[in-house]
């Protein structure tokens, strides 16, 4: 099972990504989690990432690829797939991801596009209180703008490949999971 989740902040990609990963037995590879761990480790690379994360700006593609490429190749090779959450997020990343997939001989089977209005997303982010530093109202608004500008265009890129599935993410967690599973179960059975 090889799935890409394309969704704005607050749409629930972390939660749904976990559920998909456990249902199909593949790793949940979440770029934001990986970057936050790197920051927390205090490594030089983590220190370079910190300012981008705090500002809600995109990490430069080169650094993103440095942290993501090997993990994705290893998951495809050793674990039979992956749920990519938060990557790719720009057109150059999508092109690099396609090249990785081509080399590994595996490409994504589905791109889940979780949709909700900015209003719903802002409400969820302000209500979740996980204490993420980038969840303040101002930074969250900026993350949404960055999403609309840089990430939403990827929908067209993937739609051209015929693998985009639109999911209404403004419903309950269980309703969204049910719909996702109803799409992915047949793909999983092949
Ligand atoms: P959200 O989708 O709620 O913004 P994430 O955990 O996916 O949360 O991402 C948090 C931050 O990590 C982003 O604001 C950005 O700074 C950085 N980030 C994550 N994935 C990428 C990516 N693929 N490219 C660039 N920056 C990224």
């Amino acid at each position: 099972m090889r799935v890409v989740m394309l969704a704005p902040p607050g749409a629930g990609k972390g939660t749904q990504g976990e559920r998909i990963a456990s249902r199909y037995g593949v790793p949940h590879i979440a770029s934001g989690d990986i970057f936050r761990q790197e920051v927390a480790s205090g490594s030089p690379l983590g220190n370079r990432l910190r300012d981008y994360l705090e500002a809600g700006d995109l990490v430069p593609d080169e650094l993103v690829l440095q942290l993501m490429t090997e993990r994705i190749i290893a998951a495809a090779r050793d674990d039979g797939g992956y749920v990519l959450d938060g990557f790719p997020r720009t057109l150059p990343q999508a092109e690099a991801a396609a090249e990785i997939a081509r080399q590994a001989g595996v490409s994504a089977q589905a791109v889940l596009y979780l949709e909700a209005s900015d209003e719903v997303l802002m409400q969820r982010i302000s209500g979740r209180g996980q204490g993420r530093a980038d969840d303040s109202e101002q930074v969250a608004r900026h993350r949404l703008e960055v999403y609309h500008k840089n990430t939403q265009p990827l929908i067209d890129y993937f739609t051209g490949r015929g693998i985009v599935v639109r999911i209404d993410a403004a419903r309950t967690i269980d309703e969204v999971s049910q719909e996702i599973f109803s799409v992915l179960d047949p793909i999983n059975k092949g």
Side-chain angles (χ1 to χ4, degrees):
M1 174 58 66
R2 298 181 302 276
V3 184
V4 174
M5 306 189 71
L6 206 58
K13 53 182 168 46
T15 306
Q16 301 298 341
E18 281 296 335
R19 290 183 170 204
I20 297 165
S22 85
R23 185 173 180 94
Y24 303 108
V26 291
H28 173 219
I29 304 180
S31 52
D33 291 349
I34 290 167
F35 299 164
R36 282 185 289 275
Q37 276 166 27
E38 195 68 37
V39 170
S41 80
S43 70
L45 180 55
N47 292 335
R48 288 179 67 192
L49 298 175
R50 185 190 315 269
D51 289 347
Y52 298 107
L53 295 187
E54 282 180 359
D57 285 326
L58 291 176
V59 171
D61 291 335
E62 176 215 332
L63 292 181
V64 173
L65 288 167
Q66 193 179 323
L67 278 155
M68 300 301 292
T69 304
E70 281 310 315
R71 282 182 167 86
I72 298 168
I73 291 172
R77 185 188 57 218
D78 303 334
D79 303 311
Y82 43 71
V83 182
L84 293 186
D85 163 354
F87 175 87
R89 209 151 167 140
T90 64
L91 212 47
Q93 287 178 26
E95 282 159 358
E99 181 57 23
I100 296 167
R102 201 186 58 76
Q103 281 176 22
V106 290
S107 57
Q109 295 160 298
V111 173
L112 301 178
Y113 176 28
L114 271 49
E115 294 181 282
S117 69
D118 284 8
E119 209 178 344
V120 166
L121 297 168
M122 282 303 295
Q123 267 167 19
R124 286 202 186 152
I125 294 171
S126 67
R128 69 186 173 190
Q130 292 167 315
R132 245 173 72 178
D134 61 352
D135 274 352
S136 70
E137 162 138 21
Q138 197 192 346
V139 176
R141 280 218 180 278
H142 180 61
R143 280 158 54 213
L144 265 176
E145 284 164 17
V146 168
Y147 170 81
H148 289 306
K149 180 162 179 280
N150 297 283
T151 306
Q152 217 164 16
L154 293 190
I155 297 297
D156 291 339
Y157 173 88
F158 285 116
T159 298
R161 295 175 45 191
I163 53 174
V164 174
V165 181
R166 284 174 182 258
I167 308 277
D168 172 7
R171 296 168 299 163
T172 67
I173 292 176
D174 284 341
E175 283 168 341
V176 173
S177 303
Q178 281 316 311
E179 185 174 344
I180 290 174
F181 296 158
S182 76
V183 170
L184 295 183
D185 279 356
I187 293 176
N188 188 46
K189 292 199 184 89

